């Protein structure tokens, strides 16, 4: 069985770090090859060049212009690349905010994903407090974060923690200070074992 695993969440939650911790154990636990598809790695350079031509600021990655014209093509390409790998028997660990897709539950829509019932789909929502996320974003000093930091009050309005029906089948993971046992418990949930741990928690109230 091929597996499609999404690691989603807002900026500063540690999605890429978590994915890199999980991919080795995932391959071992499932005895399957995995590719790691990080949206920023795949499209960061291209989008920076495009925004540089359009606005003169290659780091303008959260403005209304970017969100309206480049966001959707980036995510569609990310999903299409994952599907190409799945079709040749390589499972995919996909990393990106994907907040709109989680809110609208597109990641559970096999027709939208273009995958059949033979593909196991798991969606992980990674979260930390707004204060922790802001601190991490400042500390990492990534130029791509310049717009959101300069317009934090605007950006923070897009932050949310899934709740209600949005959480059906969604694996919540508090990435504030996870221990090895929390990573192990999340891995067990992804591969289908029934196991609970402190790192996988009910959603926080919005």
């Amino acid at each position: 069985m091929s597996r499609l695993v999404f690691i989603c969440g807002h900026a500063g939650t540690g999605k890429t770090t978590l994915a890199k911790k999980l991919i080795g154990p995932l391959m071992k636990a499932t005895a399957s090859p995995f590719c790691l598809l990080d949206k920023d790695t795949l499209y960061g350079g291209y989008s920076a060049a495009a925004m540089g031509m359009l606005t003169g600021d290659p780091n303008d990655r959260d403005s209304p212009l970017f969100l309206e014209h480049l966001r959707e093509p980036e995510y569609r390409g990310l999903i299409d690349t994952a599907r190409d790998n799945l079709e040749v028997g390589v499972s995919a660990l996909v990393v990106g905010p994907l907040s709109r897709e989680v809110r609208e539950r597109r990641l559970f829509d096999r027709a939208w994903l273009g995958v059949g019932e033979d593909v196991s789909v798991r969606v992980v929502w990674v979260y930390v407090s707004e204060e922790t996320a802001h601190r991490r974003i400042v500390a990492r000093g990534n130029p791509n974060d310049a717009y959101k930091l300069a317009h934090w009050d605007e950006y923070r309005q897009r932050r949310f923690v899934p709740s209600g029906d949005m959480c059906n089948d969604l694996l919540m993971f508090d990435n504030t200070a996870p221990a090895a046992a929390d990573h192990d418990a999340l891995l067990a949930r992804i591969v289908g074992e029934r196991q609970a741990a402190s790192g996988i928690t009910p959603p926080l109230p919005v």
Side-chain angles (χ1 to χ4, degrees):
M1 173 185 289
S2 295
R3 297 174 184 271
L4 177 57
V5 181
F6 292 99
I7 305 293
C8 313
H10 298 300
T13 54
K15 299 180 297 296
T16 299
T17 299
L18 177 62
K20 290 179 177 179
K21 285 182 179 293
L22 289 175
I23 192 165
L26 265 174
M27 288 191 283
K28 183 176 180 180
T30 62
S32 302
F34 268 81
C35 64
L36 175 62
L37 303 176
D38 188 301
K39 184 182 78 72
D40 286 341
T41 302
L42 284 173
Y43 296 106
Y46 177 85
S47 294
M51 292 305 292
M53 292 177 62
L54 290 170
T55 69
D57 181 2
N59 301 318
D60 185 0
R61 302 286 301 282
D62 285 276
S63 67
L65 179 66
F66 175 86
L67 295 175
E68 181 178 354
H69 296 288
L70 291 181
R71 182 193 184 279
E72 292 300 322
E74 278 195 355
Y75 282 120
R76 189 70 260 170
L78 187 66
I79 300 300
D80 291 347
T81 303
R83 188 176 61 251
D84 282 351
N85 278 274
L86 292 166
E87 289 174 353
V88 296
V90 178
S91 295
L93 183 58
V94 179
V95 183
L98 290 154
S99 54
R100 187 182 305 170
E101 289 72 19
V102 167
R103 190 189 293 273
E104 297 175 359
R105 294 194 54 82
R106 293 182 189 176
L107 302 184
F108 297 100
D109 183 343
R110 291 179 179 272
W112 187 82
L113 293 172
V115 302
E117 295 294 333
D118 58 324
V119 176
S120 169
V121 178
R122 295 286 187 271
V123 183
V124 179
W125 181 264
V126 185
Y127 66 93
V128 297
S129 69
E130 179 184 333
E131 294 75 16
T132 298
H134 187 275
R135 184 173 65 251
R136 289 179 179 178
I137 291 170
V138 171
R140 70 189 182 189
N142 188 329
N144 290 340
D145 295 322
Y147 185 93
K148 65 172 64 72
L149 288 174
H151 302 80
W152 187 259
D153 285 342
E154 171 191 321
Y155 169 73
R156 68 192 298 269
Q157 299 305 313
R158 304 206 308 267
R159 287 179 50 88
F160 68 94
V161 177
S163 61
D165 291 343
M166 200 188 308
C167 292
N168 291 343
D169 300 317
L170 194 64
L171 306 182
M172 302 291 293
F173 188 78
D174 183 349
N175 206 27
T176 304
D182 300 319
H183 292 126
D184 291 344
L186 177 60
L187 177 66
R189 291 286 299 277
I190 291 172
V191 300
E193 299 173 19
R194 295 184 178 277
Q195 181 175 343
S198 59
I200 301 169
T201 66
L204 297 173
V206 177

